[in-house]
Amino acid sequence: MSTVMEHLSARTRYEWLAQLNTEYRPKKIYRRTSIIGTIGPKTNSAEKINLLRKVGLNIVRMNFSHGAYEYHQSVVDNAKQAEKLQEGRPLAVALDTKGPEIRTGNTPGDEDIPISAGTELNITTDEKYATASDDKNMYVDYKNITKVIEKGRTIFVDDGVLAFEVLDVPDAKTVRVRCVNNGKISSKKGVNLPKTDVDLPALSEKDKNDLRFGVKNGVDMVFASFIRRGDDIKSIRDVLGEEGKDIQIIAKIENQQGVNNFDEILEQTDGVMVARGDLGIEIPPAQVFIAQKMMIAKCNLAGKPVICATQMLESMTYNPRPTRAEVSDVGNAVLDGADCVMLSGETAKGSYPQEAVSMMHETCLLAELAIPYVSSFDDLRSLAPKPVSTTESCAIAAVSCSLEQNAGCILVLTTSGTTARLIAKYRPVCPIVMVTRNARAARYSHLYRGVYPFLFPEKKPDFNVTVWQEDVDRRLKWGLKQAIDLGVLSQGDIVVCVQGWRGGMGHTNTLRIVPAEEDLGLAGK
């Protein structure tokens, strides 16, 4: 990896970019960006999941738009089994909700019905057409469509394959439309209403049941589909309840309403996913990259993780090599500041899942070399609202110290992962080695850029018997060994240690600088 000293020699963005070398290879395979992979029929076994882990997978995703509970249970079980069979850092499990959606009805016999451009028809909520949709009356299951749609708007069906122009709203059940292009009317296709604020509930009954399944099975995070306002996050927390209070909620932004209300969503959520699939239908495709950059920047400033998703290496679903544009897309997401990148069909149903994860790893690793970390740190520190919390102040100091000391890593002892997240916010050059006794925090901290989480195997001692600092030193020594064994730290490197003055959450207030040695440099003192 490029060293702290190299970054300090080119402090501005242009200085750093101008000296990039296409033939440079990092000396240590230290990838900061986490990789999320969707598990499907091609990868749903402990052995196949471990093959993906070996080439870079950090987080397993279950897509609840498809599959029965029995299938999703098998994914959870296989992910847990994979951890037992293959030593290494924890493997996180994410539940991606189906979310509120609008769909067409069924055609007679579920046959596809051809429709030509220029054809006028009714889009209706009349139940008599729910199983009798055709090229004259096409049923949709959103009862309030006539209340929110306006003349001149567009309605997309089947991911935009069919487009309809709204001509009129003659009554409470009917929208008169004209077909814009040739296509087919089919059963149960998704419907998008771009530029239209819908009043669907944040969670369907299916979503609520799916969330309860996730709580029961101990998932680490929820990717919440079609989040439109801050209150949607509160609704999800209510369903997760006390038992699921530590599950991280990642708001998927998929429409204009979510973009417009992004600030209030960001305030409530634990993280954000830029879900470019539906977003590219709901808003003009040429505006998606603007929305992506805006949302990633706001997440970076807030110190909350952000995921970039959809069609990142889409062609690798059926081809062993990606397109140049796809590789550039992944690289630019990393440069924008994404903490994680995601694979969907590439790993769920693709013919080359291992190659896709490997390509994602390689692309992220090299893209991270193009980031001017010192310039980013200067910007993020100057833009942080003052006063900052004690924990964030320690995070800033740790990153600053890592630059001044040319540190090999920042080692943080944490209960909830908050300190690690805040250190990650300030984008150190060196890795962040996180040691925790909290198993779930060890897994969901893969969401944070540059964090290498490790679960400390010893139980918390009774501090009425054990001296606090002795337990701290034991955890620090163990964490250093894990980092050295992983290959992201070398013996004798300078290490910036971040710890609290006593146990529990919210007590981080201490920095120590030690060598990466078995005795922490304390021998003979």
Side-chain angles (χ1 to χ4, degrees):
M1 64 182 174
S2 51
T3 66
V4 170
M5 302 311 294
E6 289 169 332
H7 275 276
L8 287 171
S9 70
R11 200 169 185 105
T12 70
R13 176 175 176 269
Y14 282 106
E15 284 178 309
W16 183 251
L17 293 176
Q19 68 176 21
L20 291 177
N21 179 356
T22 59
E23 296 182 353
Y24 177 82
R25 287 289 305 174
K27 295 176 182 176
K28 296 177 182 176
I29 306 302
Y30 160 46
R31 171 171 50 82
R32 301 165 176 85
T33 311
S34 286
I35 296 174
I36 302 167
T38 306
I39 299 304
K42 293 290 185 74
T43 47
N44 188 21
S45 72
E47 292 74 21
K48 289 178 180 177
I49 289 172
N50 276 337
L51 287 175
L52 299 184
R53 289 176 73 201
K54 284 180 180 178
V55 292
L57 182 73
N58 304 109
I59 299 171
V60 160
R61 170 182 175 253
M62 299 180 290
N63 184 359
F64 272 67
S65 292
H66 311 285
Y69 285 128
E70 292 78 13
Y71 175 78
H72 296 303
Q73 186 69 59
S74 72
V75 175
V76 173
D77 294 343
N78 286 330
K80 292 178 179 178
Q81 182 66 14
E83 274 195 298
K84 293 176 182 177
L85 293 175
Q86 179 176 300
E87 290 186 356
R89 289 178 294 141
L91 177 67
V93 176
L95 186 162
D96 197 324
T97 66
K98 187 176 184 180
E101 61 180 2
I102 306 170
R103 288 197 174 271
T104 63
N106 294 85
T107 59
D110 290 331
E111 295 289 330
D112 292 339
I113 299 173
I115 187 170
S116 302
T119 301
E120 293 188 11
L121 69 154
N122 296 323
I123 289 179
T124 178
T125 60
D126 192 330
E127 289 294 329
K128 72 181 182 182
Y129 296 107
T131 56
S133 292
D134 56 22
D135 57 354
K136 297 181 178 60
N137 293 282
M138 184 174 68
Y139 175 83
V140 298
D141 60 10
Y142 177 38
K143 298 300 182 183
N144 285 353
I145 188 169
T146 56
K147 296 178 181 178
V148 300
I149 201 71
E150 296 177 4
K151 182 179 178 179
R153 294 275 174 87
T154 300
I155 297 174
F156 286 124
V157 175
D158 193 12
D159 289 337
V161 173
L162 271 179
F164 299 93
E165 178 190 357
V166 176
L167 303 176
D168 193 16
V169 185
D171 58 56
K173 291 185 177 183
T174 308
V175 179
R176 189 67 179 171
V177 298
R178 178 187 296 119
C179 189
V180 176
N181 58 288
N182 298 331
K184 295 178 181 178
I185 294 175
S186 305
S187 296
K188 294 296 181 182
K189 295 299 181 182
V191 177
N192 294 90
L193 308 178
K195 303 293 184 182
T196 298
D197 289 352
V198 299
D199 55 359
L200 289 166
L203 295 167
S204 66
E205 283 305 312
K206 172 181 164 47
D207 292 329
K208 293 176 183 178
N209 290 331
D210 293 348
L211 291 174
R212 295 183 188 109
F213 172 91
V215 172
K216 184 185 76 172
N217 283 279
V219 301
D220 305 298
M221 59 196 77
V222 167
F223 297 162
S225 296
F226 293 102
I227 296 299
R228 303 188 303 277
R229 56 184 76 87
D231 284 344
D232 293 351
I233 303 296
K234 296 178 182 178
S235 299
I236 294 170
R237 290 201 197 282
D238 288 342
V239 176
L240 293 176
E242 181 66 20
E243 192 179 350
K245 65 181 181 181
D246 295 327
I247 294 174
Q248 302 293 287
I249 300 174
I250 307 301
K252 294 173 65 178
I253 307 301
E254 305 185 73
N255 53 33
Q256 187 70 54
Q257 205 171 350
V259 173
N260 292 344
N261 297 327
F262 187 74
D263 290 347
E264 69 175 63
I265 293 169
L266 183 58
E267 186 177 345
Q268 296 294 331
T269 191
D270 297 310
V272 168
M273 180 188 291
V274 183
R276 303 176 305 176
D278 279 280
L279 189 60
I281 301 169
E282 293 276 344
I283 69 175
Q287 293 177 11
V288 172
F289 81 94
I290 296 293
Q292 174 176 316
K293 290 179 182 295
M294 176 274 288
M295 288 189 278
I296 290 177
K298 286 187 174 182
C299 288
N300 289 169
L301 290 170
K304 293 190 177 184
V306 57
I307 302 163
C308 193
T310 316
Q311 296 180 334
M312 300 212 81
L313 295 176
E314 179 81 0
S315 69
M316 288 194 76
T317 306
Y318 302 112
N319 296 294
R321 287 174 58 83
T323 67
R324 289 20 164 216
E326 287 169 337
V327 173
S328 292
D329 179 42
V330 174
N332 279 310
V334 173
L335 291 175
D336 286 345
D339 296 89
C340 311
V341 287
M342 193 175 94
L343 296 166
S344 298
E346 301 96 327
T347 53
K349 63 179 181 179
S351 302
Y352 303 96
Q354 199 171 343
E355 291 84 351
V357 175
S358 184
M359 178 59 67
M360 190 74 95
H361 163 80
E362 181 75 9
T363 304
C364 291
L365 183 68
L366 296 180
E368 289 162 2
L369 295 175
I371 297 173
Y373 289 100
V374 177
S375 174
S376 297
F377 171 64
D378 290 340
D379 289 345
L380 289 163
R381 179 172 55 175
S382 66
L383 292 169
K386 306 297 189 296
V388 298
S389 67
T390 301
T391 301
E392 185 159 356
S393 186
C394 283
I396 295 170
V399 176
S400 179
C401 187
S402 73
L403 295 174
E404 293 160 1
Q405 292 277 316
N406 190 24
C409 81
I410 299 172
L411 198 161
V412 55
L413 306 183
T414 179
T415 301
S416 66
T418 297
T419 306
R421 173 175 64 82
L422 290 172
I423 295 171
K425 170 184 175 179
Y426 290 97
R427 301 305 198 235
V429 176
C430 64
I432 304 160
V433 177
M434 170 182 151
V435 176
T436 183
R437 287 187 167 101
N438 183 335
R440 175 169 277 158
R443 293 190 294 267
Y444 66 58
S445 290
H446 280 303
L447 289 167
Y448 313 143
R449 168 81 77 94
V451 172
Y452 281 68
F454 293 97
L455 180 64
F456 189 60
E458 298 178 19
K459 291 184 178 180
K460 186 176 181 179
D462 180 356
F463 291 116
N464 292 318
V465 178
T466 303
V467 177
W468 164 253
Q469 195 58 49
E470 289 178 0
D471 179 66
V472 166
D473 287 353
R474 190 161 57 252
R475 284 181 281 158
L476 291 177
K477 292 173 184 176
W478 183 85
L480 291 179
K481 183 179 186 305
Q482 303 309 306
I484 291 170
D485 290 348
L486 188 65
V488 296
L489 183 69
S490 298
Q491 194 86 27
D493 281 352
I494 294 295
V495 178
V496 179
C497 302
V498 185
Q499 64 178 78
W501 63 281
R502 61 186 176 93
M505 293 187 289
H507 302 305
T508 300
N509 67 350
T510 306
L511 298 187
R512 293 169 64 188
I513 301 171
V514 303
E517 297 175 1
E518 188 175 341
D519 61 2
L520 302 179
L522 297 174
K525 294 185 180 178

